[in-house]
Amino acid sequence: MPSVRTTLRLPPLVVAPSIAFRAGLAILRGVPAARAPDWLRHDPRLDALVAAGARYPDLRDWALAHDIPEATSASNVFEAPLLDPRTPREAQQEAVTRWMAAGQRGSVVLPTGAGKTLVALLAIQRTGTNACIIVPTRALVSQWFTQLADAFGAEHIGAFYGDEKEVRALTVTTYHSAFTLLERHGARFTLLICDEVHHLADSATGEARTRLDALLIAPAPHRLGLTATYPDGQDSWLVRALGPVVYRRSIGEMTDAELARFAIERRYVDLSPSERARYDAESERFETYAEQSQWRTQADSPDIAWKLFAASARRSPAARRALRAFRERERVVRMAEAKFEETARVLRMFPGEQAVLFCGGTDVAMEVSRRLAIPLIAASTPASERHAILHAMRDGTLRAVASVKVLDEGWDVPNAKLGIVLGDSTRGGARQHTQRLGRLLRRQGDQVASLFELVAAGTWEFFASQKRGAAVRKVADSQLGFGL
């Protein structure tokens, strides 16, 4: 009699409903797709419904309404007292109040020197939760770490970048490292603070920058953006990730009351005969090629047209010669002899003022540093040397410092009330110019901040200076002037 084989059928495995955050994803298990929120999608690898981590607060609210527990949860309460002795100004208090009223989401726009860092400290205190602070550079990681340690105690502060990977209740990271931190430890933070959020502006094509990816996977429901130069008109993705602008004050509105008054003078200098000859020759070589090739008309956007031209220089000897001529023309203007002479003259005009010299390139900064015996801070300057120079500026033992972009944003040089612009790296960018002016505006009694622009007359730099000037038009009372 043949044997009869029977198959034992097991009942399907039943997974209890639960939610969790893991690897940058909001995850829902044990619930059919038909009964789940429609913004969740099935992931066959996890056999669960998932969404980007930024939707985790929404998933938590939905789960709470349906009595579905979190698979893992940890306390994000931060209860350390704020030790900062400063009394918040009216604008700082109002900024935090507006941000809280907006659901603890959105950006605060305040001029440099108006105390955006204290706004962040007050936001941490008011929310009472763990926070991740994201900044654009490693130098700012060090500055924020120090300020947070002074305000709440070093035992609560961590840093996550490069070889440093210490995660604590308040953790500072860079936009470059934020994705890795929030993917692994995002559930530990209820508040995100993004410094200098203009770095998150939409790309030239209107798309999101990759730096926003970290914010899209983070489960933190509360988000605060800080900047002095908000990217109006280029903030579609920024608004989605952080929220809209909830508070804004301009330089003009805060001058006298909370910022130092300021004066701006544009000083024109002439190229020497030999410099003028080189400038004209290189300009003619570059413009001749531009007319022949018509590369400026190859795209609707000047930025895209320039990228196409620069790319063509890899293949075309003529384009390569034109690009070389363009760079030499820029160098002639940047290194004009009269600029160094005028810089020394301005410094002699203000013998008692500490000064910041804003340079358009490393070559300029190195030359002015050599000629005037002024320390230089560039991207390659070691952190220890950078801190020593800035400390000497703060305690008054150092007269001046030359900078290439590093001091344009984020760093405080409160005693410096004299700025000299020898050139910029953006060909008249309004944002860079506003940030530079802001370095001088931290109020010190009744001192007036002075910013001198040194412009090579009869060159492309004239038009760049006109663009820069549009960035600092005040909306309140008129600024001081030196007769121009």
Side-chain angles (χ1 to χ4, degrees), residues 271-454:
L271 298 181
S272 68
S274 60
E275 290 170 342
R276 174 59 64 182
R278 290 204 310 276
Y279 178 85
D280 291 343
E282 300 299 347
S283 293
E284 183 178 1
R285 184 174 293 113
F286 172 71
E287 293 298 340
T288 298
Y289 176 82
E291 292 179 9
Q292 293 174 348
S293 64
Q294 296 294 306
W295 64 263
R296 290 190 175 107
T297 63
Q298 293 177 4
D300 295 333
S301 166
D303 290 340
I304 296 177
W306 173 263
K307 290 178 181 178
L308 293 174
F309 161 64
S312 70
R314 303 172 187 170
R315 306 181 301 272
S316 166
R320 195 154 48 247
R321 287 192 293 271
L323 183 59
R324 191 181 305 118
F326 174 84
R327 289 173 175 167
E328 176 60 19
R329 183 180 74 167
E330 299 254 318
R331 192 193 69 80
V332 170
V333 172
R334 201 168 56 242
M335 297 289 289
E337 178 68 22
K339 284 190 177 182
F340 300 112
E341 296 173 356
E342 191 64 25
T343 298
R345 187 175 295 113
V346 172
L347 289 174
R348 290 195 298 270
M349 286 173 54
F350 297 85
E353 295 280 9
Q354 288 185 296
V356 180
L357 278 54
F358 299 105
C359 304
T362 304
D363 51 357
V364 182
M366 291 179 65
E367 182 65 14
V368 76
S369 175
R370 182 187 68 81
R371 291 190 183 206
L372 303 179
I374 293 174
L376 160 66
I377 295 182
S380 59
T381 305
S384 58
E385 182 179 345
R386 186 178 306 175
H387 283 295
I389 292 173
L390 291 175
H391 180 74
M393 287 288 290
R394 291 190 184 98
D395 64 19
T397 58
L398 186 63
R399 167 75 198 282
V401 60
S403 167
V404 186
K405 296 181 70 173
V406 175
L407 295 184
D408 285 357
E409 62 182 26
W411 287 92
D412 290 330
V413 194
N415 295 332
K417 289 293 173 284
L418 174 62
I420 304 176
V421 177
L422 287 88
D424 64 41
S425 59
T426 61
R427 295 181 67 84
R431 178 171 295 127
Q432 184 183 56
H433 193 57
T434 304
Q435 292 279 0
R436 285 174 165 182
L437 175 61
R439 298 302 108 208
L440 313 174
L441 293 184
R442 193 169 297 279
R443 186 155 187 171
Q444 298 284 322
D446 294 327
Q447 287 182 293
V448 175
S450 307
L451 184 68
F452 287 81
E453 292 183 68
L454 307 186

Side-chain angles (χ1 to χ4, degrees), residues 141-201:
V141 170
S142 301
Q143 180 166 306
W144 271 92
F145 186 100
T146 301
Q147 292 176 327
L148 289 167
D150 291 342
F152 295 107
E155 67 275 14
H156 301 296
I157 317 303
F160 191 98
Y161 71 105
D163 295 330
E164 183 71 30
K165 297 289 191 296
E166 185 174 29
V167 181
R168 294 190 179 180
L170 305 180
T171 300
V172 191
T173 187
T174 63
Y175 284 113
H176 179 75
S177 300
F179 188 94
T180 302
L181 169 64
L182 295 172
E183 184 183 37
R184 298 176 185 175
H185 307 285
R188 297 186 59 170
F189 305 108
T190 305
L191 171 62
L192 296 184
I193 297 175
C194 298
D195 194 18
E196 309 293 359
V197 293
H198 52 269
H199 289 279
L200 302 178

